[in-house]
Amino acid sequence: LRLSSQSALQGILGRFTRTPLHGIALGALATAVLQSSSATTALIIGLVNASVLSFGHSIWLIFGSNIGTTMTGWLVSMTGLDLDLKAFALPFVGAGMLMQTFGRHGGWQAAGLALCGFGLFFVGVDILKNAFGSFGTDVTDSLPSADGFFGMLALCGIGFVITVLTQSSSAATALILTATAGGMIGLHGGAAMIIGTNVGTTLTAVISVIGATAHARRTAAAHVLFNAGTGIAALATLPWLLVFVDALAGALGLSRQPVIELALFHTVFNVMGCLIFAPFVPRMTRWLEGLFVPDQPPHPADTRYLDKSAIQMPALALDAVLQELRHFAAESAAAARDAFQSGNSARADALQPLGQSINEYAARLSQEQAAEDVARALQNALRVNRYLSEVLRLCSAAARIQTRRAALPEGHETKAMLGHYLAVCSNLLTETMAEKPPRKSAMTRFNRHYNRMKEELLEDAVRRKMPLNDVSALLDDLSQTRRLLEQAQKARRWLGVIRNRPLSPQKRSDQPIPAAAPAAPAA
């Protein structure tokens, strides 16, 4: 489901979070659909990183995602324990595999895989139910007693450990509910373990943001604060909370089976957490923004937007790559201007590792299963990175021209023409990397200067105004600076293509084409 609908979810979460209620509802809906609060959290981090969503609005989505993750409990309790699960689940598995195998469109294949997974989820629940039903009574005595604070705390710790081991609060919740249905755990013990799973799911978020951006660390911290605070409040008021849940189940006409009441308890205490934390959201937002200040890269070659926690959501990771490429393009243009104007290519040499970092991130991203348009855009992003790296490599030619120009005597005609040529190159580069690309007349003027320089240099060689070896070297450098500008123009054009996804085929061979085609040579 994440593969087939992540672009739609990204758009919805980014646009419709203006009010706290909308944010909570959308966070709950997204998590209920994806059955993974970790996937929703990754979406939120990516949106905040891309400046599509403010951190203050993202907190409400986090609150909602904790409510949405309780849907697993309702699935298991309402359908998973009173049906012939194999008769219910296996048709979903079969239909899903047929869609995944014979579907021609990537969306159909992804939906088929999701349908198959939905069926296999209940097959797993059936296995758990039968297993706990056979030996539940034998191991009940080995579990800590639910009587007393320390017993409840121990059961809460067991729920925490199960979540850490399974790396999924949904899997841990299904495990606890089926154990409860099998008579292995009582209502109070199951409630304490559910609280533990709610806290345990934060460990995944904490691990995923180690070394990540400040936005990611803020989001993970908000997740930890909410889940830990809600868990403490629920554990402290557990006896009264279970009395309230029992009364609410009766008022709603629900069965008072322990499994049903546990699912209701899971939802109630997460809603209670939202009510407790809601008044403190503005203060918590300011505190976290002050605690995690965005890191300022000590060096231009350090990445600013590549967040490893977004890789599991390829569409968001691609947005991060695009932002990093814009940063790389701006830095490359500045380095090339330095080479044209001052003859210094040190900045260009220092920027080369940034291109390598983008390639490494893209290589990791390419290993994720992604929609077709995302895969094409990623290939185009690699193309842009290649062009920009070539721009940096060719800056040394511009620096050599400036050095040779400075060595010419004052009053030399070629010296003045070289200065004018370098100024034209610098101006054209500035126009190329601007939001609006230069008009064709700008490139025409450049070609006119370029051809005039070639003629002047050849004439100087014939008239022996300059040594032939120097003229030959200058002609080589002129050719490379022209190539530098061409690579910059290609990078700028392909950045526009990535920005305007989805891609469509182009008729002309010298224009960007879908990245499904083999990459063209850099020249």
Side-chain angles (χ1 to χ4, degrees), residues 129-487:
K129 181 184 71 172
N130 295 332
F132 284 126
S134 354
F135 72 91
T137 53
D138 298 331
V139 297
T140 301
D141 295 336
S142 63
L143 288 173
S145 172
D147 299 328
F149 175 75
F150 291 105
M152 300 298 286
L153 193 63
L155 288 168
C156 182
I158 292 174
F160 180 91
V161 171
I162 291 173
T163 306
V164 171
L165 292 177
T166 60
Q167 285 292 292
S168 169
S169 60
S170 297
T173 299
L175 189 67
I176 293 166
L177 289 173
T178 49
T180 303
M184 182 177 172
I185 308 169
L187 177 61
H188 285 70
M193 293 177 74
I194 288 289
I195 294 172
T197 65
N198 220 54
V199 179
T201 193
T202 61
L203 190 62
T204 303
V206 171
I207 292 173
S208 69
V209 299
I210 293 175
T213 63
H215 296 311
R217 296 199 297 272
R218 287 175 191 163
T219 306
H223 193 193
V224 171
L225 286 174
F226 177 79
N227 286 41
T230 301
I232 291 171
L235 196 61
T237 60
L238 186 58
W240 300 278
L241 203 54
L242 287 175
V243 170
F244 172 75
V245 167
D246 184 69
L248 183 60
L252 295 175
L254 297 174
S255 169
R256 293 190 175 180
Q257 297 177 10
V259 179
I260 300 291
E261 292 198 349
L262 275 182
L264 183 59
F265 167 77
H266 196 187
T267 303
V268 165
F269 89 76
N270 274 292
V271 172
M272 179 187 73
C274 290
L275 296 175
I276 292 172
F277 274 86
F280 303 103
V281 167
R283 185 177 299 178
M284 185 169 69
T285 301
R286 290 192 297 270
W287 180 67
L288 289 175
E289 285 177 342
L291 185 63
F292 299 106
V293 180
D295 301 326
Q296 294 299 321
H299 193 277
D302 292 338
T303 60
R304 299 185 181 185
Y305 304 101
L306 301 184
D307 191 341
K308 64 178 183 179
S309 60
I311 285 184
Q312 61 178 306
M313 304 297 290
L316 292 175
L318 178 64
D319 288 340
V321 171
L322 179 56
Q323 288 198 62
E324 198 66 59
L325 283 175
R326 289 172 181 162
H327 161 232
F328 190 24
E331 292 290 341
S332 299
R337 283 194 295 270
D338 281 354
F340 281 124
Q341 294 169 5
S342 63
N344 185 2
S345 62
R347 186 172 183 177
D349 295 337
L351 276 172
Q352 289 285 1
L354 180 54
Q356 297 171 6
S357 298
I358 295 174
N359 270 338
E360 291 170 2
Y361 187 86
R364 291 178 60 190
L365 178 56
S366 66
Q367 296 173 4
E368 297 289 325
Q369 194 175 13
E372 184 180 354
D373 66 324
V374 174
R376 288 181 177 179
L378 178 61
Q379 187 171 342
N380 288 337
L382 289 171
R383 192 186 301 264
V384 172
N385 190 48
R386 184 180 178 187
Y387 290 144
L388 292 174
S389 298
E390 187 72 357
V391 166
L392 293 177
R393 188 184 70 81
L394 295 170
C395 284
S396 58
R400 287 194 298 270
I401 293 176
Q402 188 65 264
T403 302
R404 289 191 173 98
R405 172 186 170 274
L408 292 174
E410 292 296 331
H412 198 292
E413 292 181 4
T414 304
K415 183 171 186 174
M417 290 198 68
L418 283 173
H420 186 54
Y421 171 80
L422 291 171
V424 169
C425 289
S426 181
N427 292 337
L428 182 58
L429 184 66
T430 301
E431 293 179 27
T432 297
M433 303 311 293
E435 281 300 315
K436 293 183 178 179
R439 292 173 293 181
K440 290 183 179 180
S441 57
M443 197 63 193
T444 302
R445 289 196 306 273
F446 166 75
N447 284 326
R448 187 163 56 247
H449 286 293
Y450 174 77
N451 290 325
R452 187 183 305 167
M453 278 303 310
K454 285 175 59 178
E455 292 299 324
E456 288 290 334
L457 287 172
L458 290 171
E459 185 177 345
D460 285 349
V462 171
R463 295 177 179 274
R464 299 183 181 180
K465 292 182 179 180
M466 289 183 65
L468 182 59
N469 289 339
D470 290 351
V471 169
S472 179
L474 268 173
L475 288 173
D476 288 342
D477 289 336
L478 286 174
S479 176
Q480 292 188 50
T481 55
R482 184 183 185 183
R483 176 178 165 80
L484 183 155
L485 293 172
E486 290 173 348
Q487 299 297 296

